[in-house]
Each structure stands twice: as structure tokens, then as C-alpha cells.
Amino acid sequence: MGPIIGVLADNSKSKYGRRRPFMIGGALSVAMGLFVLGWTAEIVGFFVPESELRRLLTITLAVFSIYLVDFAINAIQSTSRSLIVDTLPIPKQQKGSAWATRMIAIGHLAGYGVSTVDLLKVFGKTLGDSQFKQCCVIAAAALLTSVGVTSWAVNERVLISSREGDVKSGALKLVGKILKTAWHLPDRIRAICWVQFWAWIGWFPFLFYSTTWVGETYYRYTPEASIADSADPLGDIGRIGSLSLLIFSIVTFIGSIFLPFVVRSPENEAKSGGRNFTPRPPPAIAPLTTFVNAIKPDLLTSWMLSHLIFAGAMFLAPFVRSLHMATMLVAVCGIPWALACWAPFSYLGVEVNRMTAPSTILANGSSYRRLPNPSDDFSSSPPSPSFLRLNHLDRDVEEDDESESSTGETAGIYLGILNLFTTLPQFVGTFISMIVFEILEPGKHPELHKGEDVEGEGKDDVVKKVTEGPNAIAVCLFIGAASAVGAAYATGRMKRMYRRS
């Protein structure tokens, strides 16, 4: 979905901009999906009486809603990140990605914070009669508000003409362009994508299962805690785990604020040929500034170290025996997560801008045209960054030249491909998790039987066996840590590539 939305957005001639319509459409789709997901049983029950068919339709509609939310959120993420590439020059790409990471951290704080609160006690049944329904309403409102503010605040350029071939591309040509671009990625962008691939095999089980892992750890290894006494065991596990992710989000937010000040920008490295260049400081603090800049790591080194920190934390997961230790490991991963949300998009933004910013376009003004009013002729308009043309004049490029224009013409497709390398590891992670759960915890989790005999064994025997055996989620986290080591190796190769060039 990401690459398709990216190509369509790259060539969109909407008067509202290339990215804004897809962001708004995606936000409305996600909001609708969340409302349907929260009230699936009620929606199906309104049309179908109580029966087996009603149960099957409820499950089907819930699954459809999840897929709708998943696809639509990809469209929002891809186009939102493309806005950063479109609107910011190369020197500000790192700052833009860093601010995006801070906003993500704030969203995590809000989301996990809301999850730890008993919303029924706060709002009653005004927003729904369950915790999940109220979370869906709050999430939908927050998304619509944030997308609305972004759409209003960002001054996006409007595409008024593009290459003839792009305009008339059909579905097959669209898919063909995506496949061709993915197969012939520039070396640096390919390196970024492979780092993302290996990293997300590790991040997938952490983001999906860490809440449950922390909650299960508490009930497994805390003597006074008994899940059999809980009226809502799954809800209690999730609520305990959400507190650890709230701490994780706080660490991520702090890291997203301070890390950009202690890490060298990719553009600074390029300008100085790998040396850390900084404007001449006042003489009184020159020695201190020189020392600080000498020890300041570059973003690639920081990204590589973040993979190793995450791997080290997750390698310890199978050996955790307390809630505090589990919470601490989850919190430590907040720093690597801050870099995971920042580094790949920063480097990709720099690379896309470098590929699509030939100086002749800006020099002769052929890329930008301003229209005093809609009736004016395009050819008579003075240059301005308000409107964008992607088909160049003959003096700009040769007729058969395939070089891209400036202004992030290919930002959508490359960010979509990066999103693809983020999504594919989820299938790999799901396959690995399925095997691990089938081997270590087949069937229903014994701790949730609440006193029932399981295959002829009493509850005490079952819980003892589960406590002594390995935790399946911890094993998945351990496997993800091994993949994070692979991501660190891929980042090291990428760093050597940058040094050679």
C-alpha cells in the first residue's frame, strides 16, 4: 500500500496539494475503521439476529476493520513523512525527522497513558461502555485533530504539470514503476532499506508483545499475584504492561529531545568531508566547543549502537524473573526506538533531496510558477515556490533524460518502499512467533484456565509447569535481538559505504 500511495501522491495534481488529500482521506478511513472495530458486535447485531452467522459476521467485520486501519495508517505515515522531504532543504532534514520522532513520542505517551487509566470511571459510558470503545474514540479524535492541524499549517506546493508518461500511467504501469524502482534502488537507499528490514524483525515482537510479556512476567514470578483471582485477566495483563510502555515512551521522548543536540547531522558530515564542521565559536569557549565536537558521534554510529543496545536488552528477556526487571528492559529500549524513528527517515530525506535537486531548475525558474488567479496562463507567471512543474523545458534536460526534478518528486515512492521494508519483517516476525508459540505454548494459555484441569492435570501442576518453562514471548524477543545484531552489521556496512564516497 505504501509504494502505491507514494506514486499516486507524487503525481497528484489536486489543488489542495500532493500529500494533503491522501492524509485527510487516510485519517477519515482510520477513524471509520476504529469506530467500526469498537462497535462491531452492535453493528452486526442491528442487522442479524443472534445465531452462528452473527458470530461469524462479527469476526469478519472486525478483521476487515483491522485491515482498513492498517492500510489507511500506512497512507498517512507515508504522506506525512513525504511532507518533510518535500518542504525542508537538506540541512534541515535531520531536524525535521527529529521533530517527527518527538511528535511520535508524545503520541505514545498519550496512548499508553490513556490505556493505564480506567476510562469508565473518568467518562462513564459517554464515549462507550467499555475501555476499548473509549480508547477507539479518543484515538480517532486525536488522529483527526493532528492531521487537520498539519494540513492547515503546512504550505504545500501544488503540482500543475508533470511528465506525460506519469499522467497517463495505468495500473500495470504503476505497479511496474514501483517494481522497477524497488529493484534498481540507489546504493545508499538500498542500504537504508536493508537496515530497516533487519531492525524491524526485532522491533515487531517488541511492539506487539512487550505489553503482554511484562504482564505475564508479573503473574508468573510474583508469589502474591494470582491471575485466577482476576475478573478480567487479559485486561489486567494489558494494563500492567501498558505502564511499562508509558515509561518506555517517556524515555523515547527525552531521547528525541536531547539526541539531536549530541549527534552530528548527515549534512554536516557531507559538507565537511566527514569532519565535524561548526561555525567559529567565541574564543572563551572555543576549546570546549572543539572538544565536544570532536567526541560527538555521527548519526550512523549512533544508529548502529542503538541496534546493539536493543539487542543487549532483548537477549536478557528469557532470563527476567521480576516485574521491575522487565519494566527496566522495556524502558531501556526507548533510546533505540527514538533513533529508529529518526535515523532512517533523516538519511532517506537527504538522499531523495540530493537526487532530485539539480541546480539548473532553480536557477532558471522552470520548476516553480505562481498564478495570481486561476485564469492566468502558466507560461506567463513569475517564478515562485507555490506551484510545481515536473516536466522541464528543453534547456533543462534532454528529451530522453530520466533524471528526477527537485522538490521531492520521488519522495512518496521511496518512502513507500521504505515502508515496505518495514512491513515485510512483520510477516517474518509473525511466522517466527507462530512457530515459537506452537512449540512452547500450544493451545490456550494455561494460566488463563482459572482453575480448570488441563489435559488431566490440576491447575497447580499446570501453572508450575508454565512457570518453570520458557516464556514464548521472551523467546520471540530473544530471536528479535539476534536480528537487531544483523541490523547493526548492516548499519556498519552502510557507514563504510558513506566513507568510501
Side-chain angles (χ1 to χ4, degrees), residues 150-420:
T150 302
S151 300
W152 168 78
V154 176
N155 185 19
E156 188 181 1
R157 285 167 288 199
V158 176
L159 177 64
I160 58 175
S161 63
S162 62
R163 291 183 179 85
E164 196 68 20
D166 290 340
V167 175
K168 296 183 179 180
S169 292
L172 292 179
K173 288 187 177 181
L174 181 67
V175 174
K177 179 177 180 179
I178 294 171
L179 294 176
K180 181 180 178 181
T181 304
W183 189 259
H184 299 285
L185 287 173
D187 290 341
R188 290 185 176 184
I189 293 182
R190 181 184 294 110
I192 296 169
C193 289
W194 279 112
V195 172
Q196 190 81 336
F197 178 85
W198 292 110
W200 269 85
I201 293 179
W203 281 114
F204 171 78
F206 176 86
L207 295 174
F208 276 73
Y209 302 133
S210 58
T211 302
T212 306
W213 173 62
V214 172
E216 284 187 2
T217 299
Y218 173 72
Y219 280 111
R220 280 173 178 242
Y221 304 112
T222 305
E224 64 272 16
S226 176
I227 200 168
D229 299 330
S230 172
D232 182 15
L234 292 177
D236 289 341
I237 287 175
R239 190 169 285 110
I240 293 171
S242 293
L243 180 60
S244 67
L245 285 180
L246 178 63
I247 300 173
F248 161 83
S249 299
I250 294 173
V251 174
T252 301
F253 180 66
I254 295 173
S256 67
I257 291 176
F258 291 104
L259 282 174
F261 295 103
V262 298
V263 175
R264 290 205 306 267
S265 166
E267 179 57 18
N268 286 343
E269 298 171 44
K271 286 181 178 179
S272 58
R275 299 182 300 275
N276 185 24
F277 172 79
T278 186
R280 185 183 299 277
I285 62 171
L288 177 61
T289 304
T290 302
F291 173 76
V292 170
N293 283 296
I295 64 174
K296 184 184 291 187
D298 58 76
L299 184 54
L300 271 178
T301 300
S302 303
W303 195 15
M304 181 173 63
L305 291 176
S306 74
H307 297 313
L308 296 177
I309 293 172
F310 175 74
M314 292 299 99
F315 274 136
L316 296 175
F319 309 103
V320 172
R321 295 294 182 271
S322 70
L323 173 65
H324 294 98
M325 185 63 180
T327 302
M328 186 183 74
L329 290 183
V330 171
V332 166
C333 293
I335 296 297
W337 179 243
L339 281 154
C341 295
W342 166 30
F345 300 101
S346 180
Y347 275 102
L348 187 65
V350 169
E351 295 305 321
V352 170
N353 271 271
R354 284 174 177 167
M355 289 189 306
T356 62
S359 58
T360 56
I361 296 173
L362 295 180
N364 59 32
S366 62
S367 293
Y368 304 108
R369 304 284 179 118
R370 177 180 293 279
L371 302 180
N373 58 67
S375 62
D376 284 350
D377 180 42
F378 292 165
S379 61
S380 62
S381 306
S384 168
S386 298
F387 290 86
L388 171 66
R389 296 178 65 231
L390 299 184
N391 59 328
H392 310 301
L393 301 180
D394 293 340
R395 63 176 180 271
D396 295 327
V397 294
E398 296 298 328
E399 184 175 345
D400 58 347
D401 188 10
E402 294 182 1
S403 64
E404 303 290 347
S405 71
S406 61
T407 71
E409 178 184 349
T410 56
I413 188 170
Y414 281 122
L415 282 164
I417 291 173
L418 181 65
N419 181 266
L420 192 63

Side-chain angles (χ1 to χ4, degrees), residues 76-97:
I76 299 173
Q77 291 174 333
S78 177
T79 50
S80 298
R81 289 286 187 174
S82 296
L83 274 179
I84 297 176
V85 180
D86 290 348
T87 57
L88 295 180
I90 292 178
K92 293 186 178 180
Q93 286 295 320
Q94 173 169 277
K95 290 184 179 179
S97 295

Side-chain angles (χ1 to χ4, degrees), residues 118-131 133-134:
D118 191 342
L119 296 177
L120 288 174
K121 291 183 179 179
V122 177
F123 298 109
K125 296 185 178 180
T126 305
L127 303 180
D129 57 6
S130 69
Q131 178 89 358
K133 289 179 179 178
Q134 299 202 11

